[in-house]
Amino acid sequence: MLNAFGDVEVAGIQAAEGLLSDDVCRSIDYHHQAASTNTLALDDLRSGKVDREAWPKLYFCDAQTSGRGRHGRTWISTSGALTFSLLLNRPDAEVITLLPLAVGVGIARCVEFDFAPLQTKLKWPNDVHMDGGKVAGVLLETNQTGIQGVVIGVGINVADAPELSSPGVASQPAQSLSRVVGRDIQRYTVLPAVVQGILQTIADLQASRADVLDQFRQRCLLSGQKIQYQDGTMQREGLCQGVDEEGRLLVKVGDQIQRINSGEARLVRSTSP
Ligand code: BTN
């Protein structure tokens, strides 16, 4: 079922109808404007009145006004950005720790397929980078109501690349699909394939976690690089050694290997000429 709210775009309706008729999604809420598509999905989940037969459910909007990013950051979407969230059954416990990585792999695979021979990199856990900047970010959220659902929020810079910053943190270089590809990309031509790519990779994860891990490792931006990460209140530096079987980031600090579960890691950029 497709519910449209406000003066939505024809291209968005067409993308949504395709996702429903191909049985990729079971229901879709499409808003012209929304504060945050993740909040829309979480509100449905929290209401307790959700119909799991209607999952995977897609929420998307033409204009997101209060997008949320990881670690309490704001996600700024310019016009032409793709902002959507998927509400679906939480994957099995054995693979749940790899879900964040799988979502990044799903987006990366789809972008590489659609815009071959362009390549993507994945910055742990799931930022998608192209040509030196972040093209897409992912925010996974869940609730504590006992309903086993998960919300996967995805923001893709399609036309423009807004600077991503938060107080006290250096801004991250941003990139856009149109800029990398070298021509204007219409966001709703990308939506169906990305949604399908994410859902397919989650299905692949349940079938073979090793395969999805391998695909992440092939694109891991931080592997072999000197990185900084937050350890409680301490900022630490080390050499990234990739990810382990649970998707944790491996960092060599001195002669010890640290396993990082969550948080943020960034490349240490050389300041010397
Ligand atoms: C990040 O890189 O910090 C994650 C960004 C996630 C942004 C998307 S846009 C659609 C969905 N709704 C939100 O409020 N956030 C996510």
Side-chain angles (χ1 to χ4, degrees), residues 36-38 64 66-70 73 75 83-85 127 134 137-139 153-155:
S36 154
T37 56
N38 262 39
Q64 182 171 259
S66 301
R68 296 183 286 107
R70 297 178 67 236
R73 284 190 295 251
W75 179 262
T83 50
F84 67 89
S85 302
D127 288 351
K134 176 166 166 174
V138 178
L139 177 65
V154 178

Side-chain angles (χ1 to χ4, degrees), residues 168-190:
V169 179
S171 65
Q172 298 186 50
Q175 190 51 280
S176 82
L177 257 187
S178 294
R179 221 186 266 169
V180 177
V181 175
R183 63 181 159 85
D184 282 349
I185 310 287
Q186 298 306 312
R187 56 182 164 179
Y188 295 131
T189 61
V190 181

Side-chain angles (χ1 to χ4, degrees), residues 47-96:
S47 74
K49 290 185 232 138
V50 286
D51 171 14
R52 294 174 77 162
E53 293 297 306
W55 295 1
K57 179 168 180 177
L58 173 69
Y59 303 77
F60 72 110
C61 65
D62 298 327
Q64 182 171 259
T65 54
S66 301
R68 296 183 286 107
R70 297 178 67 236
H71 308 297
R73 284 190 295 251
T74 299
W75 179 262
I76 300 164
S77 313
T78 54
S79 66
L82 190 53
T83 50
F84 67 89
S85 302
L86 284 162
L87 174 57
L88 48 122
N89 285 315
R90 203 179 303 184
D92 298 341
E94 304 85 66
V95 297
I96 194 81

